[in-house]
Amino acid sequence: MMGVLQRMAQLCRPPLHSLTPQQARAAYAAGAEVLEVPRAELARVEDLQIRARDGAMLPARLYAPVAQAGLPCLLYLHGGGFTIGSIATHDVLCRELARLAGCMVVSLDYRLAPEHRFPTAVHDAWDALQWLAAHGREWGADTTRLAVGGDSAGGTLAAVCALKARDSGLQLSLQLLIYPGTTAHQDTDSHEAFAEGLILDHAAIAWFFDQYIAPDAREDWRFAPLLADDVEAVAPAWVGLAELDPLVDEGIAYADRLRAAGVPVDLEIYRGVTHEFIKMGRAISEARQFHRDAAQALRAAFATE
């Protein structure tokens, strides 16, 4: 991992927080697949659109390893601080999850900040999950076996969607939370320990948050799910964290909160790796191990063993 970081530093690219949001998106997209595993060929890869509550049509992409109907389905919400990232930047990852888990994956292009600030991304994610529950059969999904997941900001959205699903009576098989943000402020020990020098640092997090949400709104549980009134009876969780990540402490805290409420939780902390490691499978074995572990969690939750 340290060798990867050294090579990245040698490129002398400007930090994302020094760019405009549009420039940051382009820079992130340009490097998104450099360290990824090869793109898997799947039986089905189809673009579709999902209608949001305000009438906007949200791009989404469906992945399935086989052509037949009746596959369980994961709604995947990409990371990127609510500001960058897309279906395209997480294409390889979603293909791997579909291939290894034997499930359908629907990846959502929720709307990004600062053009669309909080809570638009929350609304888009929840609208998409409800749409899948209502219309997924038309696309070949088994809507009795649904999961929601995501990395980083997408993990935050997935955790929020799981709580909303609980409140609305929508049964989920799993919430797949990959180094999710769960707190309102950058005040944990890991935020201090890993404030500089790694993939995600203090300046970048502050910049992302400034794009997305006003400071006086950050106590809203839809931004910081650790502040939710209760987390009882939510879907079982699989939580995957990076050891060298500002977000690791809040990921552990959320897993502990779920466990204390009686929610089944599997927690994996990948040692010696940083935020974004799941997209570095060409360079580090921990990314490939994560792919297998996350897929196994989905298989177990969907009872596709």
Side-chain angles (χ1 to χ4, degrees), residues 210-224:
D210 286 345
Q211 305 305 313
Y212 179 57
I213 189 168
D216 61 2
R218 294 181 188 178
E219 301 293 327
D220 191 310
W221 70 270
R222 295 171 299 171
F223 173 70

Side-chain angles (χ1 to χ4, degrees), residues 134-174:
H135 301 285
R137 282 190 186 278
E138 301 165 21
W139 292 86
D142 177 358
T143 55
T144 68
R145 294 186 292 167
L146 291 178
V148 64
D151 62 290
S152 196
T156 305
L157 295 173
V160 171
C161 282
L163 288 162
K164 285 182 167 289
R166 184 269 318 266
D167 293 343
S168 70
L170 173 58
Q171 295 294 315
L172 297 178
S173 299
L174 187 71

Side-chain angles (χ1 to χ4, degrees), residues 21-31:
Q22 294 76 20
Q23 291 170 333
R25 289 171 199 156
Y28 183 65

